[in-house]
């Protein structure tokens, strides 16, 4: 895994926000991360709509929405909704998390652990959802779930490898406001590249 959790490729179109210990603690909660993911993937929503999808109490979802807004992750969509039913959207920036910065911070280490475990669970859930859905032949052939286990690299080589992958994604990332091709659907790209400790056969 790169220590930059959000893809570096996205930075070319959005301002970059580097997460600090305070903002990490504000985000590192399972429900808040689920709310933010839904807003990221499906666009603006209300507390009522999110509560139905999440199976949570509207008041609880509203509290977490306000918490996310206080930490600058989401904002109210002005000119839409009412005082009683507000619409929320994600703040458009690229969030970068340097995990190595928190390893020696005992106050942030717990939040980092929660965040990373929830993030990996989200990645897993996206894949299992895709596998459980019925896609036609063209989409079935276009998707892939692959892994490679015969690479050996130094940390510098791994970082360079990740940079090359991000550059490919950047080339395929449309500019803001660009129209998608007919028949295009949202695509999720998940890249996990990390070292594995060698184990003996004894």
């Amino acid at each position: 895994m790169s220590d930059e959790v959000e893809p570096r490729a996205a930075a070319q179109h959005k301002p970059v926000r580097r997460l600090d210990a305070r903002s990490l603690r504000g985000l590192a909660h399972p429900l808040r991360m689920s709310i933010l993911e839904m807003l990221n993937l499906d666009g603006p929503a209300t507390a009522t709509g999110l509560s139905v999808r999440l199976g949570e109490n509207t008041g609880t979802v509203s509290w977490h929405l306000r918490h996310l807004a206080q930490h600058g992750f989401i904002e109210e969509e002005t000119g839409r909704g009412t005082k009683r039913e507000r619409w929320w959207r994600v703040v458009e920036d690229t969030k970068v998390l340097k995990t190595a910065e928190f390893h020696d911070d005992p106050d942030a280490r717990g939040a980092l652990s929660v965040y990373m475990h929830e993030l990996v669970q989200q990645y897993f859930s996206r894949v299992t959802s895709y596998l459980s859905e019925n896609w036609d032949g063209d989409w079935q052939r276009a998707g892939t779930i692959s892994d490679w286990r015969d690479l050996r690299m130094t940390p510098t080589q791994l970082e360079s490898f990740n940079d090359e992958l991000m550059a490919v994604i950047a080339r395929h990332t449309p500019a803001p406001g660009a129209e998608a091709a007919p028949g295009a659907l949202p695509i999720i790209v998940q890249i996990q590249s990390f070292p594995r400790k060698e184990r003996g056969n004894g």
Side-chain angles (χ1 to χ4, degrees), residues 75-113:
E75 61 190 1
E76 185 176 356
E77 192 167 59
T78 57
R80 186 176 185 181
T82 64
K83 286 186 177 180
R84 294 190 61 187
E85 189 71 296
R86 296 191 286 178
W87 286 79
W88 297 93
R89 66 186 177 195
V90 171
V91 172
E92 291 295 328
D93 57 16
T94 296
K95 296 168 187 64
V96 176
L97 175 63
K98 296 278 190 179
T99 58
E101 294 179 356
F102 301 96
H103 287 169
D104 297 325
D105 184 348
D107 293 331
R109 203 179 301 141
L112 178 63
S113 178

Side-chain angles (χ1 to χ4, degrees), residues 151 153 156-166 193:
L151 291 85
M153 300 181 185
T156 300
Q157 289 172 326
L158 179 56
E159 186 172 6
S160 177
F161 172 78
N162 286 326
D163 285 339
E164 289 182 46
L165 292 175
M166 298 304 174
S193 58

Side-chain angles (χ1 to χ4, degrees), residues 15-184:
V16 176
R17 177 187 177 185
R18 190 160 169 168
L19 299 188
D20 57 18
R22 180 179 177 275
S23 56
L24 178 62
R25 287 193 292 269
L27 178 58
H29 183 281
L31 185 54
R32 284 198 286 276
M33 290 183 66
S34 293
I35 290 170
L36 190 61
E37 181 186 38
M38 287 187 174
L39 294 175
N40 260 314
L41 294 179
D42 301 318
T46 64
T48 300
L50 290 167
S51 67
V52 171
R53 295 171 60 189
L54 291 164
E56 295 284 347
N57 178 278
T58 303
T60 300
V61 172
S62 293
W63 187 88
H64 285 291
L65 282 165
R66 290 194 296 272
H67 196 84
L68 286 168
Q70 288 170 5
H71 286 272
F73 292 106
I74 65 172
E75 61 190 1
E76 185 176 356
E77 192 167 59
T78 57
R80 186 176 185 181
T82 64
K83 286 186 177 180
R84 294 190 61 187
E85 189 71 296
R86 296 191 286 178
W87 286 79
W88 297 93
R89 66 186 177 195
V90 171
V91 172
E92 291 295 328
D93 57 16
T94 296
K95 296 168 187 64
V96 176
L97 175 63
K98 296 278 190 179
T99 58
E101 294 179 356
F102 301 96
H103 287 169
D104 297 325
D105 184 348
D107 293 331
R109 203 179 301 141
L112 178 63
S113 178
V114 170
Y115 177 81
M116 296 306 298
H117 280 85
E118 288 299 316
L119 191 66
V120 171
Q121 184 59 50
Q122 286 182 355
Y123 292 167
F124 173 76
S125 296
R126 293 171 190 170
V127 174
T128 55
S129 293
Y130 163 70
L131 293 174
S132 68
E133 294 165 346
N134 184 26
W135 293 93
D136 67 29
D138 286 344
W139 283 112
Q140 282 286 354
R141 287 187 291 272
T144 184
I145 300 174
S146 306
D147 75 325
W148 296 264
R149 285 157 283 181
D150 53 354
L151 291 85
R152 299 183 73 87
M153 300 181 185
T154 64
T156 300
Q157 289 172 326
L158 179 56
E159 186 172 6
S160 177
F161 172 78
N162 286 326
D163 285 339
E164 289 182 46
L165 292 175
M166 298 304 174
V168 171
I169 295 170
R171 290 200 301 271
H172 292 272
T173 301
E179 287 197 25

